[in-house]
Amino acid sequence: MPAGPMSALQRIFGRDTKFFDLLENGAAAAKHSATILVGLLPGLAGNPSPEVLADLSTARRKHKRISQQTTEELCKNFVTALEREDIEELSTALFKISKTVEKIGERLLISPKGTDVGHISRQVTMLEKAAEVVVTMVRQLRGKKHGEEIRDEYDELQTIEGDADKLMNELLKELYHGSGDARSVVFWKDLYELLEKGIDRCRDAGYIVFHVALKYS
C-alpha cells in the first residue's frame, strides 16, 4: 500500500535523524577535545615535544569532517527537521569550541621555561564542564518537550561562564600585583583570555540551542 501524506511527513520529521546525529556528534567532538586538554595538562609542563598535541589535533580534524558532512547534507536535503540556518550556525559554533581548545594546547606548548601550567587547571576543568553541558543541550533537541530542560541547562552554562569570569579576574589581579617578568605576564594574560574565549564558545553554542528550543516549544 503506497504511503500517504501523513506517513511521508512522519518519515521526514520522525525517522530522518541525520542532522540530530551530526549535531550530537559535533557536540561530543567538542567535549572530547576539552577532555583531552584536561588529560594533557600535566604533560605540558617543562619543555614538551609538539607530538604531545597529536590527539588534540586529531580530534579537531575529526570534528572538522563532521562539520563538513553537516554542510554537505544541508546541500543535498531540501527538508530538514530544524531550520537550515540553525543547523549550520550550531554546527559552526560547535566546531569553534574544538578549534579554540586546540589553540589553548598550542599556546601551552610554547610556555616560558619553568611555567607551572597546573595554574590554569580550574579554568580548563570549567571549560570541560561547559562543553559537557552543551552536549546535554544538543541531545535534548531531539525531544518534543525539551524547552524547560534546555532552559535549565542554559542557566547552568551561564553560571559556569560567570564563575569563570570571576576566577579570571582573580587570576589577573594576582598576575598584575605579582613579581613576574613582563614576558610571563603577557603569556598568562593571553592564556587566561584564550581560556575565557573557549568557555564563551560553549556559551555561544548553548545560546543557539536555547534559541532553537524556544522556536519549537
Side-chain angles (χ1 to χ4, degrees), residues 19-215:
F19 288 108
F20 290 120
D21 293 340
L22 287 167
L23 291 174
E24 288 176 9
N25 289 342
K31 162 62 168 51
H32 182 55
S33 292
T35 300
I36 290 174
L37 183 63
V38 171
L40 284 178
L41 205 56
L44 288 170
N47 186 27
S49 165
E51 281 71 27
V52 75
L53 297 183
D55 288 346
L56 208 52
S57 298
T58 299
R60 192 266 305 161
R61 289 194 296 270
K62 181 179 179 181
H63 194 168
K64 186 173 181 63
R65 289 194 293 271
I66 295 170
S67 182
Q68 290 173 333
Q69 185 181 356
T70 303
T71 300
E72 292 169 3
E73 290 294 339
L74 283 172
C75 292
K76 293 189 293 185
N77 292 270
F78 294 100
V79 180
T80 57
L82 302 173
E83 290 186 16
R84 301 170 64 83
E85 293 79 7
D86 292 332
I87 295 172
E88 186 73 36
E89 187 179 12
L90 180 53
S91 176
T92 300
L94 292 170
F95 181 56
K96 286 181 178 178
I97 298 172
S98 292
K99 285 181 65 177
T100 304
V101 171
E102 186 180 29
K103 288 181 180 178
I104 294 169
E106 291 171 346
R107 191 64 55 87
L108 285 167
L109 192 64
I110 59 172
S111 62
K113 188 176 181 180
T115 299
D116 179 14
V117 296
H119 192 59
I120 48 125
S121 60
R122 286 183 294 172
Q123 283 177 295
V124 174
T125 300
M126 286 179 172
L127 174 57
E128 183 187 29
K129 177 60 179 176
E132 183 179 346
V133 174
V134 171
V135 169
T136 301
M137 294 179 73
V138 173
R139 285 176 178 167
Q140 288 170 337
L141 280 176
R142 285 184 189 262
K144 296 180 179 179
K145 298 179 180 180
H146 48 58
E148 206 55 45
E149 291 87 348
I150 286 180
R151 182 188 298 274
D152 291 342
E153 298 295 341
Y154 185 58
D155 287 344
E156 182 179 357
L157 201 53
Q158 289 181 303
T159 298
I160 294 171
E161 183 198 18
D163 291 342
D165 286 343
K166 292 177 183 177
L167 176 57
M168 178 178 172
N169 286 333
E170 292 174 8
L171 292 171
L172 286 175
K173 182 178 179 180
E174 293 176 7
L175 183 64
Y176 294 153
H177 289 243
S179 57
D181 59 28
R183 181 180 59 178
S184 177
V185 170
V186 170
F187 170 78
W188 283 115
K189 180 178 181 296
D190 288 348
L191 187 57
Y192 293 158
E193 290 177 347
L194 197 53
L195 283 159
E196 181 186 34
K197 184 177 181 180
I199 295 173
D200 286 346
R201 295 294 197 196
C202 294
R203 177 211 56 201
D204 294 342
Y207 175 77
I208 295 169
V209 176
F210 178 60
H211 181 70
V212 170
L214 289 179
K215 286 184 182 181

Side-chain angles (χ1 to χ4, degrees), residues 1-5 7-8 11:
M1 181 176 179
S7 61
R11 182 172 65 254

